[in-house]
Amino acid sequence: MARKTRLSSQALEKFIQTQKNLSKPTPRLWPDSDPDDPQVRTLTLNHPILRTLESCNGTLTEFNQIHTQLIVSGIFQHSLVSSRVVKKLCSSSSSPSRVSHAISLFDRFEEPDAFLCNTIVRGLVGLNDPLGALNFYYDKMVGKFVLPNNYTFPLLAKACAEVGSVREGGKTHGRVVKFGFESDLFVRNALIHMYFVFGRIRDAREVFDQSPESDLVTWNSMVDGYVKNREVGVARGVFDVMPERDAFTWNSMIAGYVAIGDVEEAKKLFEEMPFRDIVSWNSLIDGYARIGDISCAREFFDRMPVRNVVSWNTMLSLYVRSKDYIECLNLFDRMMEGGDARPDEATLVSILTACAHLGRLDRGKWVHTYIINHRTIVPDVLLSTALLTMYAKCGVMDLAREVFDEMPKRSVVSWNSMIMGYGMHGYGEKALEVFLEMEERGVMPNDATFICILSGCAHAGLVLEGWWYFDLMRRVYMIEPKVGHYGCMVDLLGRAGLLKDSEKLIRNMPMDAGPVLWGALLSACRSHSNLELGEIVAKRLIELEPGDVGPYVLLSNIYAEEGRWADVENMRKMMTNKGFHKEAGSSLVESADFGTDFFQGRSSVHKRSMVYSMSSQMGAQIKLSGRDMMD
């Protein structure tokens, strides 16, 4: 049974009060009333139903009930009232249904004015429907011969810029000249901005040069327009001759230098600024972040008097790109303790990425809980993909699949992450199942998709399947294999002991294999104790990178496993003569956000004794546990 829509209690109370007021001998507008009479205008604007309309923020149904009362009262046909109704429908908090209703009302007006038309055009532009705004202008406004004014053309110029239609922009400029608004400052500023959006720099400059007067908005439009078209030098020329500047002017120039990588010039301007806002600080930090200068970025970040979420996100993202994941998490803890900014989707993407690389499942689950408990966080495709990637890299594939299945929309990266997760943990067949599902859904795979598939086949030992998909990517999807794809196949064949096939694949590659692939083959030779091929591959590697100690070490290990100690000694002498030394092995152990490195042969006596003592204790506990289980 359909539920009846009712007025809210507040709106209902106002409606009842309106009915009481109507029962009183209130002066009414009659058809022969003069709408321009001051007394009539005052009575109209103070009408109780109109006041109820102004305070109404409810549903379209509530609005229609009030609108009906305006018609019954006899005042709706007054231009002041009808304009207020349309304006209310097209307010900044409006919806497509309300604007559509305003257009339907517009069709009932016999002689609409420019204010009425501009209101609807502004509503459509505000709803990100610039094409609808242009269509309304031509179909309704021009169709009903409504003369535009100086408020019409800036709206049309903005709509043309958002649509990206140079042709419509030129027509709008022509109408500006036709109706005599080419000297209007407001209109000229809108045209300058429109032409810069189109990339028509000369046209923008021509409008600027022909302007009889210019204000700060005009100059700012020129600086910002040149900057966004990467004409930073020209923008600086305009900047230097400006009669006055505001924060927007300075920030535009700083952003321009940051965009072209000239952070030092951006810093000079920043230091010269008579006033700095948070945008200024964020722009400079972003500049240092772009060139990877963590120390300078952090220095200015720490100097900031006030920070917002953009400030924190810039630093967190920089630490992730620099692979300093522990510092990323430490800074996030500081962000949460400070309370000056709340995390948003971009924040959590950085944190989940750090958790994925560190294997911090506990922190990743905390982020997941935070997303669920905070409705302001919208788990879009990027955030959901970061979440499932974290679970996949931490090996919790059931939760990764749960996140994946709950995603209303998925990108190819989402599918790749799911395939990668199954593949890297040895679930090769499940990885292939996800790929088949991906094909059924009509999602087009990319280079990375087949890297994930081939890597999964390698981990699961699926040799035939690997060859099949290696051929499929070329035959069906027209994706030419790159070095990464060949690397996966070399790994797949090497793990399976098919060393000759792996060597043949490397030698028949259409591009230079490079030391990475030869190194992978040499590692496979060691795993399968193939000394003959190992010597050939090691010599090839030494030719490619004579300064790399890796081939010597691997070949020495192969000799040792075969018991050829004389050859081992010869390899060590060669390494010594060339000045090579083997790097000490190390392990990183993390606990409570702190990491400790253990290096072979470098541990102090104190640390070594602690490790041995703990190892003995753990061994004793394991033995006791085993006895308890047997008992």
Side-chain angles (χ1 to χ4, degrees):
M1 182 177 179
R3 187 180 64 181
K4 294 182 178 180
T5 305
R6 298 180 180 275
L7 283 168
S8 65
S9 58
Q10 186 178 5
L12 184 60
E13 183 179 349
K14 290 181 178 180
F15 182 78
I16 294 172
Q17 185 62 40
T18 299
Q19 295 301 313
K20 291 180 180 178
N21 292 335
L22 284 174
S23 62
K24 299 177 182 179
T26 306
R28 303 287 298 276
L29 280 172
W30 300 96
D32 56 350
S33 300
D34 183 3
D36 295 323
D37 185 283
Q39 184 178 5
V40 172
R41 291 173 63 89
T42 301
L43 290 173
T44 303
L45 295 177
N46 290 329
H47 197 283
I49 304 180
L50 192 58
R51 291 200 301 270
T52 303
L53 171 72
E54 294 296 332
S55 61
C56 175
N57 291 310
T59 64
L60 184 60
T61 303
E62 293 179 37
F63 174 85
N64 285 338
Q65 290 173 330
I66 298 173
H67 180 204
T68 301
Q69 291 302 313
L70 288 172
I71 296 174
V72 172
S73 68
I75 68 169
F76 179 71
Q77 291 303 321
H78 195 288
S79 60
L80 288 172
V81 177
S82 57
S83 298
R84 289 293 182 93
V85 171
V86 172
K87 183 179 180 182
K88 186 66 179 179
L89 284 167
C90 299
S91 63
S92 58
S93 60
S94 191
S95 62
S97 60
R98 294 177 69 169
V99 175
S100 296
H101 188 61
I103 295 174
S104 67
L105 292 179
F106 175 86
D107 291 334
R108 301 176 189 177
F109 292 108
E110 295 181 0
E111 296 181 359
D113 57 10
F115 175 82
L116 206 61
C117 296
N118 294 343
T119 301
I120 296 178
V121 172
R122 183 180 293 105
L124 290 167
V125 172
L127 287 172
N128 295 321
D129 186 11
L131 188 60
L134 293 173
N135 288 335
F136 178 85
Y137 170 76
Y138 287 111
D139 295 342
K140 306 292 184 180
M141 194 169 181
V142 175
K144 290 198 174 187
F145 304 102
V146 180
L147 291 177
N149 58 21
N150 61 328
Y151 292 101
T152 308
F153 293 111
L155 293 170
L156 295 179
K158 184 178 181 180
C160 292
E162 292 182 2
V163 170
S165 175
V166 178
R167 180 173 176 272
E168 289 300 326
K171 289 172 64 177
T172 298
H173 193 173
R175 286 180 174 272
V176 166
V177 176
K178 176 181 177 181
F179 288 100
F181 292 108
E182 66 270 25
S183 299
D184 186 271
L185 183 60
F186 188 42
V187 174
R188 280 186 169 274
N189 290 344
L191 290 175
I192 290 172
H193 173 75
M194 179 190 73
Y195 280 125
F196 272 125
V197 171
F198 292 153
R200 305 287 288 265
I201 298 176
R202 290 185 179 180
D203 292 332
R205 185 61 188 243
E206 183 177 345
V207 174
F208 174 78
D209 290 338
Q210 292 177 357
S211 180
E213 61 173 328
S214 302
D215 62 358
L216 182 59
V217 175
T218 314
W219 289 95
N220 280 346
S221 296
M222 294 299 296
V223 172
D224 186 60
Y226 279 123
V227 163
K228 288 180 177 175
N229 282 275
R230 302 187 71 82
E231 296 281 353
V232 181
V234 183
R236 183 59 185 267
V238 176
F239 175 87
D240 289 338
V241 299
M242 287 181 67
E244 61 174 322
R245 306 182 185 113
D246 61 2
F248 180 86
T249 320
W250 290 88
N251 290 336
S252 293
M253 279 308 309
I254 291 174
Y257 283 118
V258 166
I260 63 174
D262 193 349
V263 184
E264 287 305 311
E265 195 63 34
K267 181 184 176 183
K268 288 180 183 178
L269 278 179
F270 177 83
E271 300 293 353
E272 294 173 8
M273 284 185 73
F275 36 75
R276 301 186 189 110
D277 57 14
I278 199 166
V279 177
S280 317
W281 288 92
N282 285 342
S283 294
L284 193 62
I285 293 171
D286 179 54
Y288 283 114
R290 290 190 185 202
I291 63 174
D293 192 336
I294 300 179
S295 59
C296 285
R298 185 59 185 264
E299 176 189 347
F300 280 94
F301 176 82
D302 290 336
R303 283 173 51 190
M304 290 184 73
V306 180
R307 304 181 188 91
N308 62 7
V309 69
V310 176
S311 319
W312 292 96
N313 287 348
T314 302
M315 286 305 305
L316 293 171
S317 176
L318 175 57
Y319 280 124
V320 168
R321 294 200 307 273
S322 303
K323 299 183 179 180
D324 193 347
Y325 305 115
I326 293 178
E327 187 57 34
C328 175
L329 296 183
N330 290 339
L331 187 65
F332 177 69
D333 290 339
R334 181 179 162 189
M335 175 184 180
M336 297 302 291
E337 291 169 1
D340 56 350
R342 289 187 175 185
D344 63 5
E345 291 80 2
T347 315
L348 301 181
V349 167
S350 294
I351 302 308
L352 287 169
T353 304
C355 292
H357 283 86
L358 292 174
R360 292 297 306 271
L361 180 60
D362 55 336
R363 294 295 296 269
K365 284 186 174 180
W366 181 91
V367 173
H368 194 177
T369 303
Y370 187 90
I371 294 171
I372 294 172
N373 293 338
H374 292 76
R375 295 177 179 251
T376 55
I377 301 294
V378 180
D380 55 9
V381 174
L382 188 62
L383 180 56
S384 297
T385 301
L387 184 61
L388 81 87
T389 302
M390 182 277 299
Y391 280 129
K393 287 195 173 183
C394 290
V396 190
M397 293 308 301
D398 55 340
L399 291 180
R401 183 70 202 212
E402 184 178 317
V403 173
F404 180 78
D405 290 338
E406 290 177 354
M407 291 177 66
K409 291 183 179 179
R410 303 175 187 134
S411 66
V412 66
V413 179
S414 312
W415 290 93
N416 291 350
S417 296
M418 203 66 227
I419 296 170
M420 174 273 301
Y422 279 128
M424 71 186 297
H425 294 293
Y427 302 108
E429 293 182 356
K430 286 190 175 182
L432 298 183
E433 288 175 6
V434 175
F435 178 74
L436 292 176
E437 183 183 350
M438 181 180 181
E439 286 187 311
E440 291 173 359
R441 298 287 183 90
V443 180
M444 184 65 64
N446 58 14
D447 291 4
T449 309
F450 286 97
I451 291 284
C452 296
I453 293 172
L454 296 175
S455 178
C457 290
H459 281 83
L462 303 175
V463 178
L464 294 178
E465 290 83 351
W467 277 118
W468 168 263
Y469 285 103
F470 186 71
D471 177 65
L472 183 75
M473 63 184 292
R474 289 179 293 187
R475 179 169 47 84
V476 176
Y477 293 103
M478 307 301 175
I479 298 175
E480 285 299 318
K482 297 181 175 59
V483 173
H485 301 100
Y486 281 100
C488 290
M489 289 301 298
V490 169
D491 183 37
L492 169 63
L493 297 172
R495 286 171 183 256
L498 302 173
L499 303 181
K500 287 293 184 181
D501 291 332
S502 183
E503 181 195 13
K504 182 179 179 181
L505 182 66
I506 291 177
R507 294 190 183 279
N508 291 334
M509 284 174 58
M511 73 283 290
D512 185 16
V516 176
L517 268 64
W518 286 108
L521 180 56
L522 183 56
S523 296
C525 290
R526 180 195 172 185
S527 299
H528 295 279
S529 302
N530 190 324
L531 178 59
E532 180 183 356
L533 183 59
E535 287 180 323
I536 296 173
V537 175
K539 290 178 182 178
R540 176 59 177 158
L541 268 172
I542 291 170
E543 291 175 2
L544 290 172
E545 288 191 330
D548 184 16
V549 69
Y552 296 92
V553 173
L554 284 172
L555 189 56
S556 175
N557 291 336
I558 296 176
Y559 284 139
E561 290 171 0
E562 292 293 317
R564 295 174 54 170
W565 301 110
D567 291 323
V568 172
E569 188 61 28
N570 289 334
M571 292 300 298
R572 288 180 177 175
K573 287 181 180 179
M574 290 176 60
M575 291 169 62
T576 302
N577 294 335
K578 292 179 177 292
F580 293 148
H581 66 277
K582 182 181 177 183
E583 292 291 334
S586 66
S587 298
L588 173 65
V589 177
E590 291 185 41
S591 176
D593 292 339
F594 292 98
T596 303
D597 284 313
F598 292 91
F599 291 91
Q600 180 183 1
R602 296 189 194 175
S603 301
S604 66
V605 175
H606 174 66
K607 288 185 178 179
R608 194 160 57 239
S609 63
M610 289 176 61
V611 172
Y612 292 157
S613 174
M614 179 59 69
S615 177
S616 298
Q617 293 179 32
M618 291 174 65
Q621 290 181 7
I622 290 171
K623 288 181 180 179
L624 289 173
S625 299
R627 289 174 185 171
D628 292 341
M629 290 178 67
M630 291 179 67
D631 293 342

